[in-house]
Amino acid sequence: MSSDEPLEIDGSTLEGGGQLLRIAVGLSALLSKPITINNIRAKRNPPGLKFQHAAGLRLVADICSARLEGNTTGSRTITLHPQVAPQASLAYTADPGTAGSIALLLQVSLPCLIFSSSSTSPSSLTLRGGTNASHSPQIDYTQNVFLPFIQKHFGLEPTLQVVKRGYYPRGGGQVHVSIPPVAGPLPSVTLTDRGEIKRVYGKSYVAGLPKSLADAMRTAAIDTLVESGIKENRIKIESLREKPSDAVGSGSGIVLWAETYEGCILGGSALGRKGTDAAHVGREAARELASNLDHGGCVDEYMQDQMIIFLALAQGKSRVKTGPLTLHTRTVIWVVEQLSAAKFRLEEAEGGAVVECDGIGYVPPVPPAPPTHVPGETSIST
């Protein structure tokens, strides 16, 4: 296959959903490798691109000046031809026009922007859509678990500001992200000792609904965490009602995160649903966090797959202890190995695994130097 011929990726492989698409497109842009993805979201109903996926593809194409084919809602095949590596830091915007997940728009674009060709100025992202959407990380998870994780372990320092909350079905949320670029490769990570729990934090929220629902979620979450063995004096969960000016639509939910003495951060969350008791939602989030703590791994089930691309781009050998490997994680590993020279080894045992990766030590290409004027030469314009 020539360097100009797209690598074909079967979008129905393993998990067969949107994350395969996001990781493949992000790596394609970063490594300047053209790809064609067929059978997009083949294991979802309905299959094909949704507005959110199309918005993420347009964003990545903008970042790397790509030629993008097939990017229409419902499409099951796209081709991306990156023309250049991610460019000097600029301001970018993405808006699916729906309540599609803002967190997933960040997921597809972040790896590209941390390696933009500027070594000084941060890139700016304005992302619109749903801040707290189903089947995706809540923006509070991104803000309090994912971003602190990549800052602590990879030295990355994106900052995120929630300007306005947006809930299903209207969307209308807005988030600003500032992403300073890095000049060299990311460091490898060794994270195999979770350590004892230092503190559990959380946010129980409602918008356009009575605050008593947030209080009920908070109380139920605390009771459930205490039942799981966490001391109550180590639990600090905020309960709040969003101001009408700070949110579009109505919604509710709770996000929890545990910090350990060894620097691990693990989360658990749940969204409120019509007809579902608020206390049940609080217990659901607490049980998810307790489950992520019970396996003794250093990352939760959501960080498990989100960290893979960063391990692949890092320099040297990384080792991270996880809980049982998810299908999402296996899918991301498969995609990364199709598009890069990164190599993964999985040491699986009952109740957990160790993910080992030989990273590629990616560094952004050096932008061409501007032409210099040689003394004595005359410049003639025509």
Side-chain angles (χ1 to χ4, degrees), residues 23 27 30 106-115 146-147 149-151 153-156 158 179 182 185-189 303-316 318 320 332 336 342 344 357-362:
I23 296 299
L27 272 179
L30 197 60
L106 179 59
Q107 188 182 93
V108 71
S109 57
L110 182 62
C112 302
L113 293 175
I114 62 175
F115 289 108
F146 175 72
L147 292 183
F149 179 89
I150 64 172
Q151 178 179 8
H153 300 292
F154 296 106
L156 303 173
I179 306 168
V182 296
L186 304 180
S188 59
V189 174
M303 185 63 67
Q304 186 186 117
D305 57 81
Q306 291 185 71
M307 71 177 181
I308 294 299
I309 189 170
F310 299 98
L311 300 182
L313 295 171
Q315 185 171 47
S318 295
V320 181
V332 176
V336 167
F344 286 85
C357 175
D358 293 326
I360 65 174
Y362 178 82

Side-chain angles (χ1 to χ4, degrees), residues 21-22 25-26 56-57 59-60 103-112:
L21 174 76
R22 286 186 292 274
V25 166
L57 288 170
L59 175 59
V60 171
L104 296 183
L105 291 174
L106 179 59
Q107 188 182 93
V108 71
S109 57
L110 182 62
C112 302

Side-chain angles (χ1 to χ4, degrees), residues 78-111:
I78 64 100
T79 298
L80 185 78
H81 289 268
Q83 302 300 301
V84 294
Q87 291 300 283
S89 305
L90 294 169
Y92 299 96
T93 300
D95 183 357
T98 67
S101 170
I102 287 175
L104 296 183
L105 291 174
L106 179 59
Q107 188 182 93
V108 71
S109 57
L110 182 62

Side-chain angles (χ1 to χ4, degrees), residues 305-352:
D305 57 81
Q306 291 185 71
M307 71 177 181
I308 294 299
I309 189 170
F310 299 98
L311 300 182
L313 295 171
Q315 185 171 47
K317 181 180 293 185
S318 295
R319 282 177 59 86
V320 181
K321 184 178 180 182
T322 73
L325 289 176
T326 67
L327 187 59
H328 277 79
T329 300
R330 297 181 192 277
T331 304
V332 176
I333 289 173
W334 179 82
V335 173
V336 167
E337 290 190 330
Q338 301 305 301
L339 280 162
S340 76
K343 297 298 179 185
F344 286 85
R345 289 172 295 279
L346 306 175
E347 302 172 9
E348 296 187 68
E350 185 176 355

